[in-house]
Amino acid sequence: MEYTADEVIKQAHAKGIDRCFSLATVLECQDNPAFFPVPRSTSHGFTVDLRERNPKKPSVREILHIRFDYSWRHVKRLAEWSGADVPDIEVARGRHLDTLRTETGRTDFGEVGI
């Protein structure tokens, strides 16, 4: 699916919603391993990239938005997943945390002191 921020904003305003974008927080992360919070000083999120590490491809920035009503114009690609190459989500999250720490300069982000 592919759409613009302007399309999201227009749908939000039509529903009476003024603020339609947000960063992922620990609330999204509790039940979905693909979401990962970011330091408060960060102006955007980063998606958990399920591909193997590729230094030529930068991390992907991400923000969350309100529920969006798709149309056929938003469909860019359809595929069938055979399941033969299911990514290891724990390994992907580890890579993601390393990248997040590097890109934000917060080498201690995600550590829990007890």
Side-chain angles (χ1 to χ4, degrees), residues 13-91:
H13 288 172
K15 296 173 184 176
I17 300 170
D18 292 327
R19 297 180 182 179
C20 51
F21 296 102
S22 176
L23 298 177
T25 68
V26 293
L27 298 177
E28 285 81 28
C29 301
Q30 289 176 354
D31 296 319
N32 190 335
F35 283 120
F36 206 98
V38 297
R40 291 186 191 275
S41 60
T42 306
S43 61
H44 51 265
F46 297 89
T47 61
V48 176
D49 193 343
L50 299 178
R51 300 171 298 187
E52 290 297 321
R53 170 77 68 195
N54 183 342
K56 294 181 182 179
K57 295 191 179 203
S59 59
V60 180
R61 290 184 166 63
E62 172 184 53
I63 58 172
L64 306 178
H65 59 73
I66 63 160
R67 184 186 174 284
F68 183 76
D69 296 322
Y70 300 113
S71 79
W72 62 269
R73 295 183 320 273
H74 299 119
V75 177
K76 296 301 174 190
R77 183 178 307 129
L78 296 174
E80 182 177 345
W81 189 294
S82 69
D85 58 346
V86 175
D88 185 332
I89 190 71
E90 292 301 320
V91 171

